[in-house]
mmCIF file of all heavy atoms in Angstrom:
data_model
loop_
_atom_site.group_PDB
_atom_site.id
_atom_site.type_symbol
_atom_site.label_atom_id
_atom_site.label_comp_id
_atom_site.label_asym_id
_atom_site.label_seq_id
_atom_site.Cartn_x
_atom_site.Cartn_y
_atom_site.Cartn_z
ATOM 1 N N SER A 63 -34.765 52.207 -7.008
ATOM 2 C CA SER A 63 -35.400 53.173 -7.912
ATOM 3 C C SER A 63 -36.333 52.506 -8.917
ATOM 4 O O SER A 63 -36.971 53.170 -9.717
ATOM 5 C CB SER A 63 -34.330 53.962 -8.675
ATOM 6 O OG SER A 63 -33.565 53.093 -9.498
ATOM 7 N N SER A 74 -30.508 40.676 -16.701
ATOM 8 C CA SER A 74 -30.237 39.306 -17.123
ATOM 9 C C SER A 74 -31.285 38.732 -18.068
ATOM 10 O O SER A 74 -31.010 37.791 -18.807
ATOM 11 C CB SER A 74 -30.101 38.402 -15.889
ATOM 12 O OG SER A 74 -31.263 38.471 -15.083
ATOM 13 N N PRO A 125 -40.144 32.216 -9.618
ATOM 14 C CA PRO A 125 -41.602 32.359 -9.505
ATOM 15 C C PRO A 125 -42.353 31.781 -10.700
ATOM 16 O O PRO A 125 -41.858 31.781 -11.827
ATOM 17 C CB PRO A 125 -41.791 33.881 -9.417
ATOM 18 C CG PRO A 125 -40.563 34.463 -10.019
ATOM 19 C CD PRO A 125 -39.461 33.510 -9.700
ATOM 20 N N ALA A 134 -47.449 39.905 -9.890
ATOM 21 C CA ALA A 134 -47.703 41.125 -9.120
ATOM 22 C C ALA A 134 -46.611 41.362 -8.078
ATOM 23 O O ALA A 134 -46.243 42.504 -7.802
ATOM 24 C CB ALA A 134 -49.072 41.044 -8.451
#
Side-chain angles (χ1 to χ4, degrees):
S63 63
S74 57

